[in-house]
Amino acid sequence: MSENKFEPITGTVMPRYAGLPTLMRLPFTQLTDADIGEVEIGLIGVPWDGGTTNRPGARHGPRQLRDLSTMVRNVNRASGINPFALCNCADLGDAPVNPADLLDSLQRIAGFYDTVCGRGIAPLSVGGDHLVTLPIMRALAKNGPVGMVHFDAHTDTWDTYFGGNPYTHGTPFRRAIEEGLLDPKRTVQIGIRGALYNDGDNDWGERQGIRVIDIDEFHAMGLDAVIAEARRVVGDGQTYVSFDVDALDPVYAPGTGTPEIGGLTTLEAQRMVRGLRGLNLVGGDVVEVSPPFDQSGNTALVGATMMFEILCVLADSIAARR
Amino acid sequence: MSENKFEPITGTVMPRYAGLPTLMRLPFTQLTDADIGEVEIGLIGVPWDGGTTNRPGARHGPRQLRDLSTMVRNVNRASGINPFALCNCADLGDAPVNPADLLDSLQRIAGFYDTVCGRGIAPLSVGGDHLVTLPIMRALAKNGPVGMVHFDAHTDTWDTYFGGNPYTHGTPFRRAIEEGLLDPKRTVQIGIRGALYNDGDNDWGERQGIRVIDIDEFHAMGLDAVIAEARRVVGDGQTYVSFDVDALDPVYAPGTGTPEIGGLTTLEAQRMVRGLRGLNLVGGDVVEVSPPFDQSGNTALVGATMMFEILCVLADSIAARR
Amino acid sequence: MSENKFEPITGTVMPRYAGLPTLMRLPFTQLTDADIGEVEIGLIGVPWDGGTTNRPGARHGPRQLRDLSTMVRNVNRASGINPFALCNCADLGDAPVNPADLLDSLQRIAGFYDTVCGRGIAPLSVGGDHLVTLPIMRALAKNGPVGMVHFDAHTDTWDTYFGGNPYTHGTPFRRAIEEGLLDPKRTVQIGIRGALYNDGDNDWGERQGIRVIDIDEFHAMGLDAVIAEARRVVGDGQTYVSFDVDALDPVYAPGTGTPEIGGLTTLEAQRMVRGLRGLNLVGGDVVEVSPPFDQSGNTALVGATMMFEILCVLADSIAARR
Amino acid sequence: MSENKFEPITGTVMPRYAGLPTLMRLPFTQLTDADIGEVEIGLIGVPWDGGTTNRPGARHGPRQLRDLSTMVRNVNRASGINPFALCNCADLGDAPVNPADLLDSLQRIAGFYDTVCGRGIAPLSVGGDHLVTLPIMRALAKNGPVGMVHFDAHTDTWDTYFGGNPYTHGTPFRRAIEEGLLDPKRTVQIGIRGALYNDGDNDWGERQGIRVIDIDEFHAMGLDAVIAEARRVVGDGQTYVSFDVDALDPVYAPGTGTPEIGGLTTLEAQRMVRGLRGLNLVGGDVVEVSPPFDQSGNTALVGATMMFEILCVLADSIAARR
Amino acid sequence: MSENKFEPITGTVMPRYAGLPTLMRLPFTQLTDADIGEVEIGLIGVPWDGGTTNRPGARHGPRQLRDLSTMVRNVNRASGINPFALCNCADLGDAPVNPADLLDSLQRIAGFYDTVCGRGIAPLSVGGDHLVTLPIMRALAKNGPVGMVHFDAHTDTWDTYFGGNPYTHGTPFRRAIEEGLLDPKRTVQIGIRGALYNDGDNDWGERQGIRVIDIDEFHAMGLDAVIAEARRVVGDGQTYVSFDVDALDPVYAPGTGTPEIGGLTTLEAQRMVRGLRGLNLVGGDVVEVSPPFDQSGNTALVGATMMFEILCVLADSIAARR
Amino acid sequence: MSENKFEPITGTVMPRYAGLPTLMRLPFTQLTDADIGEVEIGLIGVPWDGGTTNRPGARHGPRQLRDLSTMVRNVNRASGINPFALCNCADLGDAPVNPADLLDSLQRIAGFYDTVCGRGIAPLSVGGDHLVTLPIMRALAKNGPVGMVHFDAHTDTWDTYFGGNPYTHGTPFRRAIEEGLLDPKRTVQIGIRGALYNDGDNDWGERQGIRVIDIDEFHAMGLDAVIAEARRVVGDGQTYVSFDVDALDPVYAPGTGTPEIGGLTTLEAQRMVRGLRGLNLVGGDVVEVSPPFDQSGNTALVGATMMFEILCVLADSIAARR
């Protein structure tokens, strides 16, 4: 295994704070590199927050996660999964973006992911605000809508903002459903909470068939039942995992744009992601880490560790499909 | 409803970080304004920490809460209550204070609240250290003692400090009981913890009849039982809700003067306040947010959200009494 | 003078940290208010950073400046000017913006300033990123181009970014010159420094006639000669003062998006602005304060104090023209 | 009791933020002082982090804990124990160290503790990184191996780092077992979690007989069962308590070198330590507080409070043995 | 010299971050200790900020200065003075205070200094807010008024605040002059700046004969001329040195309650204090370090170094008088 | 020029915060890569602080400088030098280190630089603490001692610490002179200041012939004379430039282990480095950036910009020698 070039550099040889900070200390492999064909899972940054309606800064997420992800090791103690032994993983760098043009950015991002997905590489991304999931899905769901396990404080299915804006980080999944990229009946949203603008705020999504498990129902059901329900909803179709760090309580993830108190603990989040093992997973993301609001890097450490948890079940799923 | 001038400005029209930071984006209405007579609930700051025996800074609480309270929306997802639809709410500004004279400050504050209460406005305040609750009660309890649901790490019923000082943020409720403003038999204190100066530290309060539920009993009883016990204690008499943010574990509220580890979670606190629905509530406060010890604003976001939770049950109670 | 309603609330009566944080503790007067007609100088926030190509956050500038501007007092010790005694000043609130749409934002901002300027109110603004000066000039320079004294580390006269984007915070003055809003021959740029993308980076502006005094020439000339040169360049035509806080060394203004070491001191900046007394000033702004990069508020205190310095010479100029 | 010179200075006479910051406001008593013979429990700092393989700074731990420990009071509310009434306690200052020489430091530290233990003083230490426990044990376990209740995210039983280094903060307990200082069969490790370097990472310790209760087993068993199991493992032999703050979730202890998400809460940790009452305790430590990674002092407050919890059960055990 | 017990512990033996943080690593000697009679210069903390009208926190100054003062070494490179070789210096601990009672605090502080001065010990203090200089002078100037070299952004000679309060940190020197403790004709104030409340703000002091050198005159005169002028003003009578850290530009001392931009550099301040060598100095202080506004400790490092500079000229003066 | 692969990625195509943070956005080229032979200047990190006697953290310097160095552009405005057009530059990654073994680390570092220098690559390094310059010189000065322009607050020529330790960050240049790597007569130290341990602290270096220009002499001479003197001292022999960020005043570089107030400004430092143009330069370094003491990254931005300034004169020198 140690001759595998797609493995992290170990911290017992080079200290974890040393060296270039690639995602999880994986090799940096560009789409134009010769060995790109060997990559099975691509870790990708999307440094863009143009869809943010409130506090910005998620554009800095990929860089800070690269830094803190060097703290992560190889083997998941809880599940025993070593994702790097199961699949060839690499840091594919950042998708191209345009901080001054929203629509141009959506196109650039989708174009990058078209190439990734076209090569059969499963994308595991780090945002960026939550709107980046929309262009990723445009590339990923070319052959039909995917299901989704979605961790978030917000449903992100609002319609428009500021007098008609259809594209913000509050609207990606409404657009994805409208565009046929996301199957609402195979979508489950976990951790939803916070005050609403109006009484009917979340009706649209539920009318489409989304299963919303808000924080109160989460605690009423208990962790195991929530996992079972999530597995039931997405079934065995292709499924995406989207993890907005504001699903967590702000004490775990203060570095985010729209924190809502009363959220999940990291341990609950870790266990839920581990509970997705065996699903038919095709990609995932961790979004809304905004480093300017937590320069300590603690939020990014949480984000990087959650990314590792998703990587474990994703690699396990890909290896199982081979 | 949208023609109600006493409603928050919505974040889908003006971004939440924009505009003047009034409490919950409500209109700023001074006691001398023409439309003050329409206000039913007054949100008020008390920028004063002269009673603080340890780390100061709570004088800056009202301003930082004004800032962070602009993150709050209108409708409580858990309870369905929209307080702004139930009652006319306004930001009445800050009570007058004198940072260099304790007794003068107590008088100035009580005078302001005399006017507020005299107009039949229910006060929902943000401190300031916990001593500010004393002058508020002097105005509020003119016709007889109130009951209280009190969230705190400390009982605040010590007698004197530093060789005889009767007025500090460790003594307000002893003074309030002595002055006949607070009915100890209708008072419940939740979340108490931390080491004691001496063995008998808390005996006085319990001897008066206060029901102390310390953090260990809280966990032993369970949340629902604590709510039931709190409701039993205060009964259907007039009741005040006082929320010291150090009731919360310091990870949720590091910006406070006397943090004690091992406290409540925000979710526990939110649920307890929601559990007070239907009581005969006459006012409330959130105190001891000290911004210099948490310049990130996270503590203030917690404080503002707890203030919104109290507002929901307070507005519901007032509307029910109409 | 004390019966003037357009005066700051004094800190010897209400502590400076108390009360609603309006700009310099001035009355909050909306464009629709009855007494808007009495206002001569309008202090305005533009909470928008959609033109930012690097680190965002300037959208939070107006709110943090409102907070810190309450530290400012009334009379300029150095010049003796009391601007509030010279002109009626008010906080007009924030211009409307759309964080998810650049072109829509430019329109909304220009529309707001059309009303302000149409009423004969001189605007003194706080950004926001530097692109906000463009829509301000579109409203202000309706009758012909203005001159400008421009403090900055960067010329902000680049052409396009990211493959053709004409509107970013690196391009406002190229656009303003092209649109006939700004007279390059009556424009002086002070404090320019930092490495260049390419050798010819700044040629365009100088070819149009802009007088660039970079940091090395600034020190070679000396402060008094720079002031004299700036006065010579702008002459007695209508002149705007634009102060990008990154003109200052980053130790004075770390909370900004594109800091460049080796900049001006605050004292040099204060003296230069004081040296503009007697010019024909029509407005000004302080831009690029990005609070997430300095949560201490120190950068905002600097910004607020520079805004006060500009207000002094602006009020003096307006009073002289009466 | 108040005439006892080995008592903390009370906060009702001298404010907690005033005066010299000795550990828990105890008298500073050096090994050469006349009254050292009266001391029963010595609170000692070990300002050294030369064994740190990742983020440094634990050398600053003792000073910041001295500062924050002045917030602690005398009587444990939960258990009723007043340790200062049970035993004479003093701050013995810091052990000598050499920041530029690892082996020399281990010798200096062991030498200091030889004197402490030789005088029959039970040591309660604050690190420093976890390697400091090794020289402490060399002094403490002169007459045979001790048992240990060990709270940590990591087992600290790795073999070598960086090509053969036997002494790092990842290896102290392997060395202690090899040197016959620690009885693995009377050792329990609680809170272990985080990804592993390799599959077999923790096999060595468990093969020696260490009882590892990782975070998942901790939650599966429940707090009371974990306490019972820990008591069963260590039995009635001499037992040491070692508390690495990274046993806690990083939200409670961000100021540490190798944080792992998904850890214990402070309340869980407090209760577990209280559950050790009645064991045959001979010393303890709190390690890995790294102030540079949490300048707010919150981690140190947690560390100081945990130190107080250990002090309570240690003093109770010593008093019972008299 | 090395057998002198009143010398700092050297950093080449015990690292500077280790050990108990006494002021400049001097021995802690209480007023009741046997060897108090040998002390010539007493370093004293006054942890009190009850006179603060704006941002509090200076009560935490002494503790943070104790911490950072351990970075200071023995010999002043510029002047060659080793103050510890000239005079016996000790940390006398903190003066007693009462955070909840202003007048009581002034009495307690004055009482402590009565004892200090009564023993012939020259006091070098660290505040606390600037009001603490008043009770110090009450003890120090028992035999007639002293002169003063006063570094500050503010004159601190206002009359009253908040409707008549005579004692705040804005009024100590007006009170000291009225009480005959301070000779205005032998008082020089350096670094004064910032906007004024009203035009006549500073007239009172100058009418009494105080020589005010504001920041503009400071730069116009040049450093050497300012030193000469200061020496001329105070002459050879007994002179006190009071250093408010807000004399410095806020970049050097952000941790203070009322920062004013455009201030002195630390190097200018150091040189000015060195320029006081040979005067008849009787004591000094460093005040208004507010740690909550600069948890990095950088302001306290500045304060500690300035305290060392004052100590050098004070020790030199005392040694010369022997 | 744009087809040169050894050029930074431009910020007008990829935003500066995006992509992998290599030093100055240069290609990452390892010593084993095929095109290593084309590299003329190697930018190298040395993530090690084992020689630190005080506050640690400089081991994190290389990573934070990589992050902040992406803010730097290509062309030096003041000198017109574009170093990337003059020489092939690359990020060679980090030298190998061992955080738990000082002597082993010195060997590993020297070994890495042996390869670098053996290939004729001029090293421009970022530390790490100042002891890293010793192994770099061991590789660089194989053919005879080099001269040095050394910017620092400290001479770093102490002999031993803690009872005999010869290798700390306070001793590298004493060792380098003793080992014949550094020619003291061609060494100039600029910016020296701060209190001394003893009177004779700096005698050794000056006795060897080092030209020490302390901060007072620096200001007395003036910048141009200091440059001339530095040029005179080093002459036309091979010369190394070592820049300790604590040469700067702590306001510019708070993130360092041993700050001394009263230091250089960044502008003075930039101009001095520019004044070295035309010397026979063979390498340089920027050391003692300690990110944990300045998580804002401002110190690292200063360090990265100073590294760019050194790169400009180094590239110019190398190009001139071709």
Side-chain angles (χ1 to χ4, degrees), chain D residues 77-126:
Chain D
R77 165 186 279 274
S79 65
I81 297 176
N82 178 342
F84 311 108
L86 293 174
C87 292
N88 287 345
C89 302
D91 181 337
L92 305 190
D94 282 354
V97 298
N98 181 342
D101 191 325
L102 188 150
L103 294 175
D104 183 34
S105 291
L106 296 186
Q107 280 194 318
R108 292 180 185 213
I109 297 166
F112 183 89
Y113 280 87
D114 278 346
T115 306
V116 170
C117 297
R119 286 186 168 284
I121 300 172
L124 179 54
S125 308
V126 50

Side-chain angles (χ1 to χ4, degrees), chain B residues 224-243:
Chain B
D224 290 338
V226 172
I227 291 171
E229 174 71 351
R231 297 179 71 97
R232 184 195 65 74
V233 169
V234 300
D236 52 14
Q238 292 199 339
T239 299
Y240 190 81
V241 180
S242 190
F243 193 91

Side-chain angles (χ1 to χ4, degrees), chain E residues 179-253:
Chain E
E179 298 182 20
L181 310 172
L182 179 66
D183 181 352
K185 297 191 171 50
R186 291 188 50 245
T187 294
V188 58
Q189 299 185 315
I190 303 169
I192 307 301
R193 65 190 186 281
L196 305 172
Y197 290 118
N198 299 298
D199 285 328
D201 258 19
N202 292 284
D203 292 2
W204 187 87
E206 297 194 72
R207 278 201 310 271
Q208 311 308 309
I210 294 179
R211 173 69 171 99
V212 175
I213 302 177
D214 71 13
I215 198 69
D216 287 298
E217 187 175 5
F218 173 86
H219 284 288
M221 292 175 71
L223 188 66
D224 291 338
V226 173
I227 291 171
E229 174 72 350
R231 297 179 71 96
R232 184 195 64 75
V233 169
V234 299
D236 53 13
Q238 293 199 340
T239 298
Y240 190 81
V241 180
S242 191
F243 192 91
D244 184 324
V245 293
D246 69 23
L248 298 166
D249 193 276
V251 300
Y252 301 95

Side-chain angles (χ1 to χ4, degrees), chain A residues 95-145:
Chain A
V97 299
N98 180 342
D101 192 326
L102 188 151
L103 294 176
D104 183 34
S105 291
L106 296 186
Q107 279 194 318
R108 290 180 186 213
I109 298 167
F112 184 88
Y113 280 87
D114 279 346
T115 307
V116 170
C117 297
R119 285 185 168 286
I121 300 172
L124 179 54
S125 308
V126 50
D129 69 41
H130 221 152
L131 185 52
V132 306
T133 308
L134 181 64
I136 294 173
M137 284 194 169
R138 285 174 176 170
L140 190 67
K142 280 212 158 21
N143 302 317

Side-chain angles (χ1 to χ4, degrees), chain B residues 46 48 102-103 105-107 109-111 113-114 129-142 146 148 156 166-169 171-182 240 242 285 287:
Chain B
V46 190
W48 186 77
L102 189 149
L103 293 176
S105 291
L106 296 186
Q107 280 194 318
I109 297 166
Y113 279 86
D114 278 346
D129 70 40
H130 220 151
L131 184 51
V132 307
T133 308
L134 181 63
I136 293 173
M137 283 192 169
R138 284 175 177 169
L140 190 67
K142 280 212 158 23
V146 295
M148 176 170 66
D156 293 357
Y167 298 114
T168 77
H169 68 156
T171 67
F173 299 118
R174 188 150 184 163
R175 294 297 92 78
I177 290 168
E178 293 169 350
E179 297 182 20
L181 310 172
L182 178 66
Y240 190 81
S242 190
D285 60 45
V287 297

Side-chain angles (χ1 to χ4, degrees), chain D residues 3-88:
Chain D
E3 56 273 22
N4 181 355
K5 69 181 167 189
F6 294 108
E7 283 222 336
I9 298 165
T10 177
T12 55
V13 171
M14 184 161 79
R16 314 205 72 82
Y17 55 80
L20 234 68
T22 59
L23 283 163
M24 301 192 193
R25 311 188 105 194
L26 288 165
F28 177 54
T29 311
Q30 292 186 278
L31 291 186
T32 53
D33 283 358
D35 50 2
I36 187 72
E38 303 171 48
V39 177
E40 296 172 279
I41 300 178
L43 284 69
I44 302 166
V46 190
W48 188 76
D49 56 12
T52 302
T53 60
N54 196 357
R55 312 192 308 190
R59 68 180 70 182
H60 297 288
R63 183 163 294 177
Q64 206 189 32
L65 250 93
R66 279 197 172 85
D67 184 3
L68 272 296
S69 75
T70 62
M71 301 275 273
V72 176
R73 301 189 197 83
N74 294 24
V75 182
N76 195 310
R77 165 186 279 274
S79 65
I81 297 176
N82 178 342
F84 311 108
L86 293 174
C87 292
N88 287 345

